[in-house]
Amino acid sequence: MSKREKQLSKSLRARGVRKGLAQKVARATDGGGSPKIARRAMADLASVVAEIQDRLQQGPQKRSVAAKKAAKTRKRKARRRSKAAKRAARTRARG
């Protein structure tokens, strides 16, 4: 393991990445291993970062409020359609 690989591995370990993955990623970025491992690790870490940002910005609560509003709107529109259909049926029955 080269000096650069050791430094990257130590840096990743200090940030909470498991030892085996840190070594594989360090090897892959230095040309020794498969770059696929490094890309996958990068994607996983990016998704974790996105999840943390979402939670800090109250994302789940905002989506919950939006979902409840959408459900109320759907119910209200369904009631209006039903009421209009009943009115139309009464009109057709009279004629």
Side-chain angles (χ1 to χ4, degrees):
M1 190 179 263
S2 70
K3 188 175 181 181
R4 278 179 39 172
E5 284 180 31
K6 283 181 185 176
Q7 286 175 340
L8 179 58
S9 181
K10 274 186 179 179
S11 175
L12 289 170
R13 292 279 295 135
R15 286 167 177 79
V17 177
R18 290 182 174 235
K19 187 176 184 178
L21 181 62
Q23 289 175 346
K24 287 177 185 175
V25 168
R27 213 172 295 128
T29 56
D30 216 24
S34 169
K36 193 176 194 180
I37 293 170
R39 281 193 210 104
R40 191 177 309 130
M42 193 169 59
D44 291 344
L45 292 171
S47 69
V48 169
V49 168
E51 176 75 21
I52 291 169
Q53 286 175 336
D54 186 41
R55 287 176 183 262
L56 285 175
Q57 294 167 349
Q58 306 299 317
Q61 288 90 343
K62 287 181 186 175
R63 282 191 292 281
S64 176
V65 169
K68 287 177 184 173
K69 181 181 175 189
K72 283 197 311 191
T73 301
R74 283 192 302 272
K75 287 177 188 174
R76 186 175 59 247
K77 297 249 184 197
R79 274 195 305 271
R80 279 182 68 185
R81 276 194 311 274
S82 176
K83 192 175 177 182
K86 287 176 185 174
R87 202 172 340 130
R90 277 195 307 268
T91 303
R92 281 191 302 273
R94 268 191 269 142

